[in-house]
Amino acid sequence: MASTPAEYIQHHLQNLTYGKLPAGYVRGDGSVVDQATWTIAQTGAEARDMGFMAVHLDTLGWSLLMGAIFILLFRSVAKVATDGVPGKLQNFVEICVEFIEGVVKDTFHGRNPLIAPLALTIFVWVFLMNSLKWIPVDYIPGIAHLLGLPAFKIVPTTDPNGTFGLSLGVFILILFYSFKVKGVGGFTKELAFTPFNHWSLVPFNLFLEILGLLTKPLSLALRLFGNMYAGEVVFILIALLPFYVQWTLNVPWAIFHILVIPLQAFIFMVLTVVYLSSAHEDHGAEQAH
């Protein structure tokens, strides 16, 4: 797959990208595209040249697969749930549900039946996507290479497109509930008169509040991506070492990720609940009361 350590690292960090190449484009193998064509990028340069509309097939595929596993797993447990002594799988699911329910009760101060299921979905889904990091770095890319694919990443949360997709969904919910609970006027007033309740400081308040609002999805996405990406790079660097050294470093690093993987899922979930709780707080109504 790669002849040098640099090529090896670049290959393992490249996504399977599907996008459009313009007519006359010279590909990595020297061939020329006769007309604008949607195709799979053969190199990192081709992936970059495909632009904004390119799609990372591996990120989408593994994200959907982990989401399907979550739905099927919890649905199967719900269908056979019993009031008697639960099985191991039912016990695990009940622990997850009760844990998330407790976190939401402590963190969310509004009333919305959507928040607890949303928090559970985010936690389990992100955890499952993160857990793909436990698969040795060469296994899946090696199989993909045998199938003729130029690159293949399996951890969606090491792709900023994946983490930004999640955070963008949360950001849309923040805006939706901010307008729904506070109204357009109430939300606008909150932005204009927080933290300083004086008309002369409205421009300064708007700058601070809008900046703070926009940094919420950025912080969600970059925190998750940064931690997962850094861990992936370390696994790849360990894989470059001699075999007898790999196990000495790989096993402790994998054990360390037993903590990191659920922790990052938990942080993403808690911050989502905190941000949505803030969106449900109508400060104008409280002041009027």
Side-chain angles (χ1 to χ4, degrees), residues 80-87 90-91 94:
V80 298
T82 176
D83 292 333
V85 179
Q90 180 181 336
N91 192 41
E94 288 180 353

Side-chain angles (χ1 to χ4, degrees), residues 28-42:
D29 58 3
S31 62
V32 180
V33 178
D34 295 331
Q35 57 183 359
T37 306
W38 285 87
T39 184
I40 292 176
Q42 299 298 318

